[in-house]
Structures are given as structure tokens and as C-alpha cells.
Amino acid sequence: MALLEVRELGVAFSGHRRGARETVAVDGVSFDVEPGQVVGLVGESGCGKSVTALAVMGLLPRRGVRVSGRAVFDGTDLLALPEPEMRDRRGCDLSMVFQDPLSALNPVVPIGIQVTEVLRRHRSMSAGAAREEAVALLNRVGIPDPARRLREYPHQLSGGMRQRALIAIALACRPRLLIADEPTTALDVTIQAQILALLAELVADTETALIMITHDLGVVAGLCDQVNVLYGGRVVERSERRELFATPRHPYTHGLLGSIPRLDAAPGGRLDAIKGSVADNLPWAHACAFAPRCERVLDSCREVTPPVERGGEDRLLRCHNPVPAS
Ligand SMILES: Nc1ncnc2c1ncn2[C@@H]1O[C@H](COP(=O)(O)OP(=O)(O)O)[C@@H](O)[C@H]1O
Ligand SMILES: [Mg+2]
């Protein structure tokens, strides 16, 4: 059985002004996460990745937001849980690492207290045991001289060290599911690679499942077992990672892959950007949202919503005119 089953998740923001139109941020998103599996959610900025994660974590504001569908974690629908019960699960069964470690850490509380707080609350440790475990955790995520670092404030750490500290906090309660939302976007390239390697190692060692959220297919390449490509709040393609890179079928996935630099490309070759922006979307209700930007667009794409089709056991595709398989 899947650890997390997201089914037909929908999130709409209502405007605060009266009569303002709703913004549909996520629209019928379904995916599974098996224990220990690494699942990618990939797509350009604004396609609904963070909103999906926040909905699953119960972190969306209650007012002005309409959430539908189910997110069944180990048999319990998280979307139906009252807030106090959800709070117990957050930072315990499920935890999250955000893009910007500086704003996710409390600036006026030393790192050590932020780690031991989780240990004392969720693992009921004594002060002494929590301190010992905090040192071990910082050590585990590659923070040198952890005993000294525990006394420091977030601003005293570099960006990479802050992200490591945040990962330590997220792992403190031994979650069964970790959601990482663009965890390396704010970091230098070399530090990015280190953090990704660390995440890969931690999930492999601890059997924690990971949802990896990124706009960068390059990040997904080394880490994910399965990849969901999102466009305009919907999954447009899902595939096992190797298959996705070998034979991307959706023109959007194809375009994303074409815009990654490759070491084996001819020197001086150009990267193919996908033309247009997410703002050019058509409504999913009676079209393919990607049609205005698509190089394979047909008349039907502007008139009929493409249905989700299965192309093999773990493969989904939502497209009227996919890229041929070979
Ligand atoms: N609090 C909010 N109120 C209104 N619209 C929002 C809010 N948060 C996100 N959105 C909208 O939801 C869509 C998806 O956003 P998001 O999930 O943050 O995208 P991503 O993480 O993929 O970049 C965007 O169009 C965004 O403008
Ligand atoms: Mg985001």
C-alpha cells in the first residue's frame, strides 16, 4: 500500500474582494508515494508545486482557500484532520524543508534550541538526551563542530549550513515522509550538489520517502524514482525517471529537457527555451492549458481538454499529440 495517496487534489484561492474570480492553483492532481520512494514534482514557477505541498501538510490558510480531494497518509485523510491532530503529525510523521532556510528558521532562537524543541515535543526526550541527539543530527547532516554550532543563531551560519540545519530539524522526528520544496534554489551550484547528495543519502539510509519539488529537471535526474510533470495545476506526464529522460512524450516535458545544458552537446549549441510563459495558459476546462506555447499544437488542443491516458504501468500522459515514442 502507498504511504501517501493524493487523489484529485484541488486548491482554489478566492479573491478577497467581493465578486473577484477564483484562482485555481491545483486542479485534480493525483499521485502516490510508496514507503522509501523519491517522487519528483516538476514544473515552471507558478504551476502549483508549492500549493500541492502546503495542502498535503495542512499549511494553507483556512480562509479564502477551497481545498478538495484527498491526501491519504497511512490510511488517514490528512485533508479531513482537525488542526490539532494535523499539528501532531506535522514535524513528526511528515515534515518539510523549504526553499529559503533563513526565513524558515527562527532568527532569534539558537539553532540548538530549534532542534531540541522538536526532539522534546515529538520524541519526548529529556533536555540532556535531546542535546546529545541534536549534536548527532548536526553531525549527520555534515555540519562541522556541531556542539559549537548549536549555540549559534541562524544569521551566523552560511546559506548551505542553514539548509543543513533545516534538514536536521526536519529529520529530528524521524518522519516517514519528507517534502523538500526547492531546497537548493537559494544556494550556490556546488553547495546545491552537496545538499542533493545529502538528501539522497539520508532517504536511502532511513527509508524516509521524499517528495522533491523543483523547477529543475537536472535536480530530478539524480534523485527521483518517479517524476510528475505539472503544468497549469495539473499533472501532464508521469513516468519512472529513466523512461522520462529517455522518451519524454509530453511536448512540455520535451521542452523542459531541451532547456537543460548537456555535457555531451556540441560546443556553441543553443539551449532550446520553451517559448511564452505560464501566463499564456488556456483554461483546462475546454482546452489544453499548454496549447498556446506548444510546438505540436492541433486545433483540437484549443477546444477539447486532453484526458489522462495510461501508457504503461507507471506512465501517465495528458496530450492530444504526444511526441512519438521512438
Ligand atoms: N495565497 C495565494 N493566493 C492566491 N493565489 C495564490 C496563493 N498562493 C499561490 N497562488 C497561486 O497559485 C498558483 C500556484 O502557485 P505555487 O504552488 O506557489 O507555484 P510553484 O510552487 O509551482 O511555483 C500560482 O498561480 C499562484 O499565483
Ligand atoms: Mg514554489
Side-chain angles (χ1 to χ4, degrees), residues 11-16 23-26 41-54 60-61 63-65 99 181-182 213-215 230 232-233 278 281:
V11 180
F13 295 96
S14 54
H16 290 295
T23 314
V24 178
V26 175
L41 299 183
V42 186
E44 285 165 300
S45 174
C47 70
K49 306 180 297 291
S50 294
V51 170
T52 299
L54 293 172
L60 288 169
R63 291 187 54 189
V65 185
Q99 173 173 341
D181 189 355
E182 312 251 15
I213 296 180
T214 176
H215 64 274
L230 269 74
V278 184
N281 284 356

Side-chain angles (χ1 to χ4, degrees), residues 9-43:
L9 178 69
V11 180
F13 295 96
S14 54
H16 290 295
R17 281 172 296 120
R18 272 214 306 175
R21 289 243 323 270
E22 269 195 339
T23 314
V24 178
V26 175
D27 193 1
V29 165
S30 302
F31 62 91
D32 285 354
V33 183
E34 308 289 335
Q37 195 183 26
V38 182
V39 172
L41 299 183
V42 186

Side-chain angles (χ1 to χ4, degrees), residues 109-155:
V109 177
I111 298 291
I113 293 181
Q114 301 192 48
V115 182
T116 50
E117 225 168 40
V118 178
L119 295 168
R120 302 196 63 182
R121 178 184 158 86
H122 288 294
R123 282 168 65 187
S124 311
M125 287 185 164
S126 68
R131 211 194 109 72
E132 240 169 68
E133 176 73 7
V135 170
L137 274 165
L138 292 201
N139 208 13
R140 182 86 187 75
V141 298
I143 296 181
D145 198 359
R148 179 169 66 86
R149 289 299 187 182
L150 283 178
R151 291 192 298 273
E152 294 188 339
Y153 291 87
H155 72 267

Side-chain angles (χ1 to χ4, degrees), residues 30 34 38 45 86 90 127 145 155 175 178 192 226 230 234 244 264 269 277:
S30 302
E34 308 289 335
V38 182
S45 174
M86 191 61 213
R90 231 179 359 244
D145 198 359
H155 72 267
L178 179 66
Q192 275 187 20
Q226 194 188 59
L230 269 74
R234 295 198 185 193
L244 189 86
D264 58 355
S277 72

